[in-house]
Amino acid sequence: MVVYYYTSKRKMRRKWVKNWLARRDLFGHMPLLKQLNENEPNDLKNYLRMSKTDFDRLLDLLRPRITKQDTVMRQAIPAEERLIATGKSYEDLKFSTGIAAQTLGSIIPETCKAIYEILHDTYMKVPQTSKDWKEVANGFKDRWQMINCGGCIDGKHIRICQPARSGALYYNYKNFYSIVLMAFVNHNYELIYVDVGKQGRISDGGVIQATTFYRRLQNETLNLPKPMDCEEDLNVVFIGDAAFSIEEHVLKPFPQKSLNYERRIYNYRLSRARNVVENAFGLIASRFRILQTSINVNPNDTNYIVLAICTLHNFLIKHNSSYVKPTSENSETQDTEDIDVSRQLFPLQNCKK
């Protein structure tokens, strides 16, 4: 049904709702998804970017938060439709979901915020105790042969369209507009802490110094194990690339121009462990394709979209054994092919010169 809105002069101004949008149960994507669920589960999984089981588990967690009440004016959009919307832009989604772009502009950021706020305490939690940090360090030792490592640090530029009246504030050294996702990642590709929203013009070293995690690290309030409780009486450290400053709890590779044999071994071991953060970024970009385009919403809404993606990444690692495939793990690079790996797996303290 088409409803018209009139001014006091009785002039027709605009439609309240278009016919095809009012009949989204016929023209939207839900009938198709029902057919896929019944007949083509693999196609449904490809559309949802997760299995139906994982989607239902996520929906059960979010339903109380994103369910809205019907009004005398219209029926509320069901929680399932709010969560299932997927696409590149609001205009693309409008035609596939049968929901107006203006409504999607409210639903999607609201749903992303709910995903992050409901799930992050369970699925993206910073280790709280010395025992928790030791479990992370043991994971790096067992899986990546790096001792006393509490996590890997790196920043990822999230491509965005230039915000209105922002000038060059978001313009980065890669020659596009972006916000920065700064992440700390454990041995299992899980994001244990993220900071999103700093302007793309700021370097990784500048972004990390503005995070609460870094301030807690400097103030020694992260409850890291004491050196005497760690292997070889060394500090728990976080490892990053050359963009970060070397500190008491932060390590980075030696410059390429000053390498001897021991330093090459150190760089190999550190870089091999640090690849978990690169692989984690690769996983989220591959699974959540919006990160492969320029996000065209305001920066605050973009922040919640990225936070929701990071939380869902950890959610899928916990519940979907096929999310991280063997091919996701790092392989030997050209720089390290000539190193005898069997001779490298000795304790790091033997090459700390």
Side-chain angles (χ1 to χ4, degrees):
M1 179 178 68
V2 179
V3 181
Y4 295 95
Y5 170 77
Y6 292 88
T7 66
S8 57
K9 295 182 179 180
R10 308 297 294 175
K11 292 182 179 179
M12 184 176 67
R13 294 292 299 274
R14 63 181 178 86
K15 295 180 180 179
W16 179 262
V17 61
K18 296 177 181 177
N19 271 332
W20 72 273
L21 291 175
R23 302 178 65 189
R24 68 172 183 274
D25 57 334
L26 179 61
F27 297 114
H29 63 171
M30 294 306 292
L32 171 62
L33 295 181
K34 183 179 179 181
Q35 289 296 319
L36 294 180
N37 185 41
E38 294 174 354
N39 303 306
E40 298 293 342
N42 288 333
D43 287 340
L44 179 66
K45 180 179 179 180
N46 188 45
Y47 184 88
L48 297 177
R49 312 305 295 171
M50 64 180 70
S51 68
K52 185 62 164 59
T53 301
D54 290 334
F55 178 83
D56 290 339
R57 181 185 289 112
L58 181 63
L59 180 60
D60 290 340
L61 292 171
L62 297 176
R63 194 188 301 275
R65 176 71 174 270
I66 63 176
T67 298
K68 305 297 181 180
Q69 292 185 342
D70 295 339
T71 68
V72 294
M73 301 294 291
R74 66 182 72 182
Q75 289 184 335
I77 297 173
E80 184 179 17
E81 288 190 54
R82 289 172 176 268
L83 184 59
I84 211 169
T86 177
K88 292 183 178 180
S89 69
Y90 293 159
E91 283 298 316
D92 288 340
L93 283 171
K94 178 178 74 173
F95 294 107
S96 63
T97 63
I99 301 174
Q102 295 86 346
T103 305
L104 289 167
S106 173
I107 287 176
I108 290 177
E110 180 182 289
T111 303
C112 288
K113 183 177 181 180
I115 290 172
Y116 172 70
E117 292 181 347
I118 290 174
L119 299 185
H120 85 280
D121 284 341
T122 302
Y123 294 98
M124 194 163 61
K125 187 177 182 180
V126 176
Q128 299 296 309
T129 65
S130 176
K131 181 180 178 181
D132 294 337
W133 286 114
K134 285 183 180 180
E135 290 179 0
V136 176
N138 289 335
F140 273 102
K141 178 184 176 182
D142 295 340
R143 191 167 185 178
W144 306 109
Q145 292 76 55
M146 184 74 180
I147 66 171
N148 297 335
C149 182
C152 302
I153 320 168
D154 202 6
K156 177 178 175 61
H157 285 271
I158 307 298
R159 189 185 294 266
I160 63 173
C161 294
Q162 181 184 11
R165 298 182 294 278
S166 64
L169 289 177
Y170 292 89
Y171 197 71
N172 63 35
Y173 71 97
K174 297 182 178 181
N175 300 321
F176 61 84
Y177 295 93
S178 67
I179 59 172
V180 180
L181 163 63
M182 180 59 60
F184 290 73
V185 182
N186 70 11
H187 61 284
N188 197 37
Y189 305 108
E190 295 173 280
L191 309 177
I192 58 177
Y193 174 86
V194 297
D195 180 272
V196 183
K198 302 299 187 296
Q199 299 156 352
R201 65 183 179 86
I202 305 175
S203 67
D204 286 353
V207 171
I208 191 175
Q209 291 180 12
T211 65
T212 57
F213 189 99
Y214 182 81
R215 289 194 290 270
R216 290 183 63 191
L217 181 62
Q218 296 299 302
N219 296 334
E220 299 184 354
T221 57
L222 284 174
N223 297 322
L224 296 177
K226 301 296 183 183
M228 64 186 68
D229 298 324
C230 300
E231 292 200 31
E232 304 300 324
D233 296 333
L234 298 174
N235 290 329
V236 169
V237 296
F238 299 91
I239 56 180
D241 59 18
F244 300 96
S245 300
I246 189 166
E247 301 179 15
E248 181 181 6
H249 293 285
V250 179
L251 293 182
K252 66 177 184 178
F254 284 106
Q256 292 293 316
K257 63 182 180 181
S258 61
L259 294 182
N260 55 24
Y261 180 77
E262 288 78 10
R263 289 184 176 186
R264 291 191 67 193
I265 298 298
Y266 166 86
N267 279 6
Y268 168 82
R269 294 280 293 277
L270 184 141
S271 298
R272 183 173 185 267
R274 197 190 66 81
N275 269 351
V276 298
V277 66
E278 301 287 358
N279 291 342
F281 287 156
L283 283 167
I284 63 175
S286 176
R287 181 57 60 100
F288 304 99
R289 300 298 176 84
I290 191 173
L291 298 181
Q292 299 181 9
T293 65
S294 295
I295 302 177
N296 190 18
V297 299
N298 70 68
N300 188 58
D301 289 347
T302 302
N303 293 345
Y304 280 114
I305 291 172
V306 177
L307 287 171
I309 286 172
C310 293
T311 313
L312 288 174
H313 165 78
N314 286 358
F315 174 86
L316 291 173
I317 287 178
K318 291 289 188 183
H319 296 291
N320 190 337
S321 60
S322 64
Y323 177 62
V324 179
K325 300 176 182 177
T327 53
S328 299
E329 299 195 7
N330 67 298
S331 58
E332 304 301 322
T333 64
Q334 187 66 33
D335 293 337
T336 58
E337 282 180 352
D338 60 337
I339 298 178
D340 181 2
V341 178
S342 66
R343 291 189 295 153
Q344 295 168 13
L345 303 184
F346 52 82
L348 185 60
Q349 72 275 8
N350 289 342
C351 56
K352 61 182 180 182
K353 296 179 182 180

